């Protein structure tokens, strides 16, 4: 009893114990609180935290609880009695008989105890190894009283001898260095401590379950009884000695797990119960000569030779009938995984079948996805364990890399530990990284295969206490930290380790100043069923990658990512870049967390200079782009589901950029934009225009180094020549000297200000007023010097010349192409896009001819007119009709009305309409001859030359047209002679024929120097080149009158349609 309580006192010092196991329980007699000698029978229970006693063994709640922390001592007073002394009371207990008392006294959880020296202390400590913990006490007397210094939980510890009499006990928090009295004592302590570690980590639950299969009760290699290790990908159960050899083969060959210490790594264990060592050895050991068989007493060299021959060389395996036929093996694998025959799958995989092969089914592209579809969970488990089988053969460097030297390292752990660096002689040779006590040591202190290294990390200078350091993340989950004060030494080690780590085709990944390089599993697109192995290199905002099957390194600018999302449970991160979707997964959580942190840091910082901001594809900071787009969108009209939103006064807002917003809302909005601008959606009704405008100004004033790249770089802008032409030339030269991001930002801001001043009559912000506001903002001055405002005013005034904007000759074809490019809509056969001029409350629209000058039309728009890029629903039928045309002309009876009317009323009358290569003519008097021909008067009632015609789809509803198949023809033969004719057809087919004829004649009028056959050929080539896939949702992109002045600005505004988040996701995923 005394020993029990003594051990419990020490264990109670550990604050991490929450559910302590029961050490002992049974019946005892005790005295009542009054202290009389009348004993009462009680059921007593003792655990690591409390001594409790109950009325009987069935009671749930105790009558008294005694905290072990309050017990000062325990005394044996004879007569089968002992006392438990607390600070304010003594409890007297009596056992039922002497046998029970003596039996209790002999029970002990202590495996070893004694005095040891510990570095840093003058006197020895009394060390007790008890159950799963080690207790440190000042002396034996204190331990007997239940008092100690501290306790060490051994499930977090590692023991290693360092000298003849010394050894280290290393935890993730600290390393304890002990010295024993002799070498023999040191061996005993190390053995006892290692047994304590194993005991703390072990659990027999998994082992007992796997041993329930009789074949698993013997080692698959040497036949030793009760094997407590297993290779999860080779499906064999192993003894401790054979498992050590398997570990030396590397994770790419054999993934070794303990049945007792890796309990969390096991799931249902059904795979080992289904197969068993005997069945698996029908494949692995089908042809072993008796002279080469292992036995439990075989030495390490024999085991090494046998295991290498059996699993690496496949010397004894039963070769599959399809061996050497890659395509047939892959096909057989895809068929077998639909069944429960895992042994056949094992035979196929280890005879060459590719577990990552393409199945031929786009919905189930990988063998894993097929097995999941057919509910074969054991097949999925086996394929998952072997997803990188044979990887080492593919990724070894072409030439052997060798390097040696001294480095300082810490003990490996699940994270980089910065204490207790030890100097070690390190060697990299033949793909193995080893380290020794010294250059003269013959035995290794540790070794790792480069094929088992997941990642190489270069730490910032000064981190971990050394000027330069790096980390190696191992496939086992361990992290190895190395450091050295010499930058050249570390740089050389990083160079050779990087080359040994990546395959030869990926050497570009380590040929620059990277921060992290290694391998990750990834999936591309929407399918997560077929993860592939890729190589990645990260540094700053650049992510270099070499994907499976490719021979060229790709580059992702993290600042320009369209989307970044995390899947915490799956330990995956999803990147969307230029329409490409990548889902990255880490093999081990510490490695994944490092990649995630590096990627997040590379996204851009809102509090940094311009080149460290989140950027758009045009290298404009997302914050600037969001604000400008929001203000611009208040003039953009967006069509959703066939309807329009209402225009809002954005650029037309009176006093924009001079009015003050709400300071608290401005500060909050700027803070959220700086944190992650891509996640901020500026929505109307929530964000006021004045607040957004002030956010833009405040950001430009406060951004690091400013738009002009620092104070010194901005001075030449403020001190230019007095000659205006020379100043413009100087501005051009200074503009080109700016960094790309600064140049793009300045261009976007000046472009926006040019648009604002176009509405000066309404917003009262002309060039001069804008310059007064933005001069000090862009140059980050106090506003006392007028030169900053003068520079900004001249930049606005000479915007097209300085920024080389030549948009007046932009055609409708170029505008449509640019809008679709910016909308990320790839060209595909099927639909036809056109640029439409829409007016009169969207009742009429005209498709622009592809050679029409879009900007000239754009600047002439009225307040009720818009430019639209959308699908032309009549185009396919029109092209079919044109292909069958013999004569480029058309005439038929049609209902007509014009602008004139009687008493404000307009009526539609029948007219003969004749259209040919010269003009459109309307005849009022028409007679039909006996042979059915139409005879008309010699003089037409209306006539207009073809080149002066503009045809709109639709007629104003207020005119009450007799049918819905109408068109409006605008005839403008002279500057002040503009007429509108309204023509109504009787059917949709007739309307299409008229529109096709108009379109065909307009092509001819634009290309008068070519023959008709050439016209027709070019017409088809052009319109079929505009065959695009469109998301099946009737979105059209509308633009109001001049809000920008350059063609690229128009295209940008057109693509800034205000989608909801859900619609954006659906649109991008479909495209």
């Amino acid at each position: 009893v005394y020993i029990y309580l003594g051990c419990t006192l020490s264990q109670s010092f550990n604050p991490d114990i929450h559910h302590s196991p029961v050490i002992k329980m049974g019946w005892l007699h005790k005295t009542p609180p009054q202290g009389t000698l009348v004993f009462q029978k009680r059921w007593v229970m003792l655990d690591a935290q409390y001594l409790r006693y109950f009325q009987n063994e069935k009671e749930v709640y105790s009558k008294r609880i005694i905290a072990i922390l309050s017990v000062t001592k325990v005394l044996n007073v004879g007569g089968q009695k002992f006392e438990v002394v607390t600070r304010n009371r003594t409890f007297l207990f009596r056992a039922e008989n002497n046998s029970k008392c003596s039996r209790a006294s002999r029970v002990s959880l202590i495996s070893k105890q004694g005095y040891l020296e510990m570095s840093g202390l003058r006197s020895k400590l009394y060390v007790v190894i008890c159950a799963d913990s080690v207790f440190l006490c000042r002396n034996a007397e204190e331990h007997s009283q239940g008092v100690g210094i501290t306790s060490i939980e051994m499930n977090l510890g590692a023991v290693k001898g360092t000298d003849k009499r010394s050894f280290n006990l290393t935890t993730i928090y600290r390393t304890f260095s002990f010295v024993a009295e002799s070498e023999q004592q040191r061996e005993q302590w190390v053995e006892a401590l290692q047994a304590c570690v194993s005991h703390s980590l072990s659990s027999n639950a998994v082992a007992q379950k796997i041993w329930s299969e009789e074949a698993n009760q013997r080692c698959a290699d040497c036949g030793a009884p009760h094997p407590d290790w297993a290779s999860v990908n080779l499906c064999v159960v192993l003894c401790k000695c054979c498992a050590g050899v398997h570990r030396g083969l590397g994770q790419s060959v054999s993934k070794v797990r303990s049945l007792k210490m890796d309990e969390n790594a096991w799931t249902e264990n059904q795979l080992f119960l289904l197969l068993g060592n005997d069945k698996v050895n029908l494949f692995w050991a089908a042809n072993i000569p008796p002279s080469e068989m292992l036995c439990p007493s075989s030495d390490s060299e024999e085991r090494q030779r046998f295991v290498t021959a059996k699993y690496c060389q496949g010397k004894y395996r039963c070769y599959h009938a399809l061996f050497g036929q890659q395509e047939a093996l892959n096909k057989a694998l895809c068929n077998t995984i639909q069944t429960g025959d895992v042994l056949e799958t094992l035979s196929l995989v280890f005879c060459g079948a590719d577990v990552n092969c393409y199945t031929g089914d786009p919905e189930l592209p990988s063998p894993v996805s097929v097995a999941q579809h057919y509910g074969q969970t054991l097949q999925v488990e086996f394929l998952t364990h072997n997803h990188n089988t044979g990887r080492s053969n593919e990724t070894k460097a072409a030439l052997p890399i060798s390097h040696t030297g001294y480095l300082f390292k810490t003990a490996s752990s699940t994270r980089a530990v910065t204490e207790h660096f030890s100097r070690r002689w390190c060697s990299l040779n033949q793909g193995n990284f080893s380290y020794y006590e010294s250059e003269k040591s013959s035995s290794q202190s540790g070794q790792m295969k480069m094929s088992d290294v997941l990642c190489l990390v270069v730490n910032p200078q000064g981190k971990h206490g050394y000027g330069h350091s790096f980390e190696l993340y191992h496939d086992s989950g361990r992290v190895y930290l190395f450091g050295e004060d010499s930058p050249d030494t570390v740089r050389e080690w990083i160079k050779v380790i990087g080359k040994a780590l990546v395959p030869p085709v990926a050497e570009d990944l380590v040929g620059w100043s990277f921060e992290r390089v290694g391998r990750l599993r990834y999936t591309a697109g929407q399918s997560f069923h077929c993860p592939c192995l890729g190589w990645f290199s990260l540094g700053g905002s650049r992510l270099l990658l070499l994907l499976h099957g490719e021979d060229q390194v790709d580059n992702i600018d993290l600042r320009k990512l369209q989307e970044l999302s995390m899947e915490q449970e799956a330990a995956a991160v999803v990147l969307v870049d230029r329409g490409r979707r990548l889902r990255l997964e880490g093999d081990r959580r510490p490695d994944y967390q490092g990649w995630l942190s590096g990627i997040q840091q590379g996204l851009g910082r809102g509090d940094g200079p311009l080149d460290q901001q989140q950027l758009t594809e045009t290298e404009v900071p997302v914050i600037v782009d969001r604000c400008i787009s929001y203000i611009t969108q208040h003039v953009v009209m967006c069509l959703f589901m066939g309807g329009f939103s209402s225009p809002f006064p954005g650029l037309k807002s009176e006093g924009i950029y001079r009015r003050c917003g709400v300071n608290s809302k401005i500060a909050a909005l700027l803070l959220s934009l700086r944190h992650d601008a891509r996640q901020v959606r500026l929505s109307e009704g929530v964000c006021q225009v004045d607040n957004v405008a002030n956010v833009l100004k405040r950001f430009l004033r406060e951004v690091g180094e400013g738009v002009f790249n620092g104070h010194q770089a901005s001075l030449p802008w403020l001190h230019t020549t007095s000659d205006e032409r020379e100043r413009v030339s100087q501005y051009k030269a200074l503009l080109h000297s700016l960094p790309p991001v600064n140049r793009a930002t300045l261009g976007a801001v000046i472009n926006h200000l040019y648009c604002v001043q176009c509405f000066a009559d309404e917003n009262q912000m002309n060039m001069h007023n804008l310059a007064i506001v933005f001069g000090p903002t862009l140059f980050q001055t106090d506003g006392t010097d007028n030169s900053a405002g003068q520079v900004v005013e001249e930049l606005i005034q000479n915007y097209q010349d300085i920024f080389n904007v030549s948009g007046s000759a932009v055609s409708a074809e170029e505008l449509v192409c640019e809008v679709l490019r910016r909308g990320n809509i790839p060209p595909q056969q099927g639909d036809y896009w056109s640029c439409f001029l829409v007016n009169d409350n969207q009742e009429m629209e005209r498709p622009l001819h592809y050679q029409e000058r879009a900007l000239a039309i754009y600047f002439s728009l009225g307040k009720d007119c818009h430019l639209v890029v959308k699908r032309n629903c009549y185009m396919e039928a029109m092209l079919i009709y044109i292909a069958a045309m013999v004569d480029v002309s058309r005439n038929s009876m049609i209902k007509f009305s014009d602008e004139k009317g009687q008493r404000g009323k307009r009526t539609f009358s029948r007219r003969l309409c004749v259209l040919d290569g010269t003009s459109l003519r309307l005849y009022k008097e028409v007679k039909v001859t006996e042979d059915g021909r139409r005879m008309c008067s010699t003089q037409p009632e209306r006539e207009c030359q073809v080149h002066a015609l503009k045809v709109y789809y639709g007629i104003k509803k207020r005119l009450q047209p007799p049918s819905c198949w109408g068109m409006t023809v605008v005839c403008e033969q002279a500057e002040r002679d503009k007429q509108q004719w309204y023509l109504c057809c009787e059917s949709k087919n007739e309307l299409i024929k008229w529109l096709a004829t108009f379109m065909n004649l307009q092509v001819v009028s634009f290309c008068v120097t070519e023959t008709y056959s050439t016209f027709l050929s070019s017409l088809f080539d052009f319109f079929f080149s505009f065959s695009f896939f469109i998301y099946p949702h009737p979105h059209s992109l509308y633009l109001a009158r001049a809000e920008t002045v350059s063609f690229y600005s128009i295209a940008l505004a057109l693509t800034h349609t205000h989608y909801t988040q859900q619609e954006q996701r659906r649109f991008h995923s479909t495209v």
Side-chain angles (χ1 to χ4, degrees), residues 135-152:
F135 301 96
L136 305 183
C137 305
R138 297 183 185 276
N139 49 55
E141 184 181 358
E142 279 194 355
H143 173 258
S144 65
Q145 296 174 353
V147 180
I149 299 174
T150 189
S151 65
I152 306 168

PDB file of all heavy atoms in Angstrom, residues 135-152:
ATOM      1  N   PHE A 135      10.148  10.118 -12.837  1.00  0.00           N
ATOM      2  CA  PHE A 135      10.014  11.125 -11.796  1.00  0.00           C
ATOM      3  C   PHE A 135      11.395  11.526 -11.302  1.00  0.00           C
ATOM      4  O   PHE A 135      12.259  10.663 -11.077  1.00  0.00           O
ATOM      5  CB  PHE A 135       9.186  10.583 -10.631  1.00  0.00           C
ATOM      6  CG  PHE A 135       7.810  10.147 -11.040  1.00  0.00           C
ATOM      7  CD1 PHE A 135       7.540   8.808 -11.327  1.00  0.00           C
ATOM      8  CD2 PHE A 135       6.789  11.061 -11.162  1.00  0.00           C
ATOM      9  CE1 PHE A 135       6.290   8.405 -11.719  1.00  0.00           C
ATOM     10  CE2 PHE A 135       5.527  10.664 -11.548  1.00  0.00           C
ATOM     11  CZ  PHE A 135       5.269   9.334 -11.836  1.00  0.00           C
ATOM     12  N   LEU A 136      11.605  12.819 -11.132  1.00  0.00           N
ATOM     13  CA  LEU A 136      12.852  13.357 -10.619  1.00  0.00           C
ATOM     14  C   LEU A 136      12.614  13.891  -9.205  1.00  0.00           C
ATOM     15  O   LEU A 136      11.748  14.760  -9.007  1.00  0.00           O
ATOM     16  CB  LEU A 136      13.368  14.476 -11.528  1.00  0.00           C
ATOM     17  CG  LEU A 136      13.556  14.133 -13.018  1.00  0.00           C
ATOM     18  CD1 LEU A 136      14.130  15.319 -13.767  1.00  0.00           C
ATOM     19  CD2 LEU A 136      14.435  12.907 -13.192  1.00  0.00           C
ATOM     20  N   CYS A 137      13.376  13.385  -8.243  1.00  0.00           N
ATOM     21  CA  CYS A 137      13.264  13.816  -6.844  1.00  0.00           C
ATOM     22  C   CYS A 137      14.648  14.223  -6.346  1.00  0.00           C
ATOM     23  O   CYS A 137      15.679  13.798  -6.883  1.00  0.00           O
ATOM     24  CB  CYS A 137      12.708  12.688  -5.966  1.00  0.00           C
ATOM     25  SG  CYS A 137      11.125  12.022  -6.531  1.00  0.00           S
ATOM     26  N   ARG A 138      14.667  15.022  -5.286  1.00  0.00           N
ATOM     27  CA  ARG A 138      15.954  15.455  -4.719  1.00  0.00           C
ATOM     28  C   ARG A 138      16.699  14.285  -4.083  1.00  0.00           C
ATOM     29  O   ARG A 138      17.917  14.178  -4.176  1.00  0.00           O
ATOM     30  CB  ARG A 138      15.735  16.564  -3.697  1.00  0.00           C
ATOM     31  CG  ARG A 138      15.142  17.832  -4.295  1.00  0.00           C
ATOM     32  CD  ARG A 138      15.014  18.907  -3.241  1.00  0.00           C
ATOM     33  NE  ARG A 138      14.334  20.084  -3.781  1.00  0.00           N
ATOM     34  CZ  ARG A 138      14.944  21.057  -4.460  1.00  0.00           C
ATOM     35  NH1 ARG A 138      16.250  20.980  -4.666  1.00  0.00           N
ATOM     36  NH2 ARG A 138      14.274  22.089  -4.917  1.00  0.00           N
ATOM     37  N   ASN A 139      15.951  13.386  -3.428  1.00  0.00           N
ATOM     38  CA  ASN A 139      16.574  12.235  -2.787  1.00  0.00           C
ATOM     39  C   ASN A 139      15.521  11.152  -2.589  1.00  0.00           C
ATOM     40  O   ASN A 139      14.318  11.360  -2.870  1.00  0.00           O
ATOM     41  CB  ASN A 139      17.214  12.626  -1.444  1.00  0.00           C
ATOM     42  CG  ASN A 139      16.260  13.436  -0.576  1.00  0.00           C
ATOM     43  OD1 ASN A 139      15.145  12.997  -0.304  1.00  0.00           O
ATOM     44  ND2 ASN A 139      16.685  14.627  -0.162  1.00  0.00           N
ATOM     45  N   ALA A 140      15.968  10.004  -2.088  1.00  0.00           N
ATOM     46  CA  ALA A 140      15.061   8.871  -1.896  1.00  0.00           C
ATOM     47  C   ALA A 140      14.024   9.152  -0.823  1.00  0.00           C
ATOM     48  O   ALA A 140      12.880   8.678  -0.892  1.00  0.00           O
ATOM     49  CB  ALA A 140      15.861   7.615  -1.547  1.00  0.00           C
ATOM     50  N   GLU A 141      14.405   9.918   0.194  1.00  0.00           N
ATOM     51  CA  GLU A 141      13.472  10.229   1.277  1.00  0.00           C
ATOM     52  C   GLU A 141      12.290  11.039   0.758  1.00  0.00           C
ATOM     53  O   GLU A 141      11.140  10.782   1.132  1.00  0.00           O
ATOM     54  CB  GLU A 141      14.207  10.986   2.390  1.00  0.00           C
ATOM     55  CG  GLU A 141      13.325  11.273   3.608  1.00  0.00           C
ATOM     56  CD  GLU A 141      14.074  12.033   4.685  1.00  0.00           C
ATOM     57  OE1 GLU A 141      15.281  12.299   4.491  1.00  0.00           O
ATOM     58  OE2 GLU A 141      13.438  12.354   5.695  1.00  0.00           O
ATOM     59  N   GLU A 142      12.591  12.028  -0.076  1.00  0.00           N
ATOM     60  CA  GLU A 142      11.482  12.820  -0.646  1.00  0.00           C
ATOM     61  C   GLU A 142      10.556  11.931  -1.464  1.00  0.00           C
ATOM     62  O   GLU A 142       9.335  12.084  -1.410  1.00  0.00           O
ATOM     63  CB  GLU A 142      12.042  13.940  -1.527  1.00  0.00           C
ATOM     64  CG  GLU A 142      12.499  15.155  -0.760  1.00  0.00           C
ATOM     65  CD  GLU A 142      12.723  16.343  -1.679  1.00  0.00           C
ATOM     66  OE1 GLU A 142      12.603  16.178  -2.920  1.00  0.00           O
ATOM     67  OE2 GLU A 142      13.000  17.420  -1.164  1.00  0.00           O
ATOM     68  N   HIS A 143      11.117  11.032  -2.216  1.00  0.00           N
ATOM     69  CA  HIS A 143      10.278  10.148  -3.009  1.00  0.00           C
ATOM     70  C   HIS A 143       9.397   9.280  -2.126  1.00  0.00           C
ATOM     71  O   HIS A 143       8.218   9.044  -2.422  1.00  0.00           O
ATOM     72  CB  HIS A 143      11.142   9.270  -3.915  1.00  0.00           C
ATOM     73  CG  HIS A 143      10.350   8.217  -4.634  1.00  0.00           C
ATOM     74  ND1 HIS A 143      10.335   6.898  -4.230  1.00  0.00           N
ATOM     75  CD2 HIS A 143       9.510   8.298  -5.695  1.00  0.00           C
ATOM     76  CE1 HIS A 143       9.534   6.215  -5.027  1.00  0.00           C
ATOM     77  NE2 HIS A 143       9.025   7.036  -5.927  1.00  0.00           N
ATOM     78  N   SER A 144       9.956   8.800  -1.013  1.00  0.00           N
ATOM     79  CA  SER A 144       9.162   7.961  -0.104  1.00  0.00           C
ATOM     80  C   SER A 144       8.024   8.758   0.518  1.00  0.00           C
ATOM     81  O   SER A 144       7.007   8.196   0.897  1.00  0.00           O
ATOM     82  CB  SER A 144      10.065   7.379   0.987  1.00  0.00           C
ATOM     83  OG  SER A 144      10.592   8.410   1.809  1.00  0.00           O
ATOM     84  N   GLN A 145       8.203  10.087   0.608  1.00  0.00           N
ATOM     85  CA  GLN A 145       7.147  10.941   1.163  1.00  0.00           C
ATOM     86  C   GLN A 145       6.153  11.392   0.094  1.00  0.00           C
ATOM     87  O   GLN A 145       5.206  12.116   0.390  1.00  0.00           O
ATOM     88  CB  GLN A 145       7.769  12.169   1.827  1.00  0.00           C
ATOM     89  CG  GLN A 145       8.649  11.828   3.029  1.00  0.00           C
ATOM     90  CD  GLN A 145       9.366  13.044   3.560  1.00  0.00           C
ATOM     91  OE1 GLN A 145       9.306  14.119   2.966  1.00  0.00           O
ATOM     92  NE2 GLN A 145      10.041  12.885   4.697  1.00  0.00           N
ATOM     93  N   GLY A 146       6.392  10.962  -1.154  1.00  0.00           N
ATOM     94  CA  GLY A 146       5.486  11.368  -2.237  1.00  0.00           C
ATOM     95  C   GLY A 146       5.765  12.764  -2.746  1.00  0.00           C
ATOM     96  O   GLY A 146       4.899  13.390  -3.352  1.00  0.00           O
ATOM     97  N   VAL A 147       6.967  13.280  -2.513  1.00  0.00           N
ATOM     98  CA  VAL A 147       7.330  14.631  -2.948  1.00  0.00           C
ATOM     99  C   VAL A 147       8.402  14.509  -4.025  1.00  0.00           C
ATOM    100  O   VAL A 147       9.297  13.669  -3.928  1.00  0.00           O
ATOM    101  CB  VAL A 147       7.847  15.475  -1.772  1.00  0.00           C
ATOM    102  CG1 VAL A 147       8.230  16.869  -2.238  1.00  0.00           C
ATOM    103  CG2 VAL A 147       6.789  15.541  -0.690  1.00  0.00           C
ATOM    104  N   GLY A 148       8.321  15.325  -5.056  1.00  0.00           N
ATOM    105  CA  GLY A 148       9.314  15.273  -6.117  1.00  0.00           C
ATOM    106  C   GLY A 148       9.474  16.608  -6.805  1.00  0.00           C
ATOM    107  O   GLY A 148       8.824  17.597  -6.460  1.00  0.00           O
ATOM    108  N   ILE A 149      10.391  16.642  -7.795  1.00  0.00           N
ATOM    109  CA  ILE A 149      10.642  17.877  -8.554  1.00  0.00           C
ATOM    110  C   ILE A 149       9.691  17.972  -9.739  1.00  0.00           C
ATOM    111  O   ILE A 149       8.974  18.952  -9.904  1.00  0.00           O
ATOM    112  CB  ILE A 149      12.107  17.909  -9.030  1.00  0.00           C
ATOM    113  CG1 ILE A 149      13.052  17.899  -7.831  1.00  0.00           C
ATOM    114  CG2 ILE A 149      12.363  19.130  -9.889  1.00  0.00           C
ATOM    115  CD1 ILE A 149      14.515  17.779  -8.214  1.00  0.00           C
ATOM    116  N   THR A 150       9.699  16.933 -10.581  1.00  0.00           N
ATOM    117  CA  THR A 150       8.838  16.952 -11.762  1.00  0.00           C
ATOM    118  C   THR A 150       8.663  15.538 -12.274  1.00  0.00           C
ATOM    119  O   THR A 150       9.334  14.602 -11.818  1.00  0.00           O
ATOM    120  CB  THR A 150       9.436  17.844 -12.868  1.00  0.00           C
ATOM    121  OG1 THR A 150       8.479  17.997 -13.916  1.00  0.00           O
ATOM    122  CG2 THR A 150      10.701  17.223 -13.452  1.00  0.00           C
ATOM    123  N   SER A 151       7.777  15.396 -13.237  1.00  0.00           N
ATOM    124  CA  SER A 151       7.567  14.108 -13.903  1.00  0.00           C
ATOM    125  C   SER A 151       7.667  14.318 -15.408  1.00  0.00           C
ATOM    126  O   SER A 151       7.343  15.389 -15.924  1.00  0.00           O
ATOM    127  CB  SER A 151       6.198  13.529 -13.541  1.00  0.00           C
ATOM    128  OG  SER A 151       5.169  14.351 -14.026  1.00  0.00           O
ATOM    129  N   ILE A 152       8.111  13.287 -16.109  1.00  0.00           N
ATOM    130  CA  ILE A 152       8.297  13.343 -17.562  1.00  0.00           C
ATOM    131  C   ILE A 152       7.453  12.250 -18.199  1.00  0.00           C
ATOM    132  O   ILE A 152       7.637  11.070 -17.890  1.00  0.00           O
ATOM    133  CB  ILE A 152       9.781  13.153 -17.934  1.00  0.00           C
ATOM    134  CG1 ILE A 152      10.662  14.160 -17.190  1.00  0.00           C
ATOM    135  CG2 ILE A 152       9.983  13.254 -19.438  1.00  0.00           C
ATOM    136  CD1 ILE A 152      12.147  13.855 -17.285  1.00  0.00           C
TER     137      ILE A 152
END
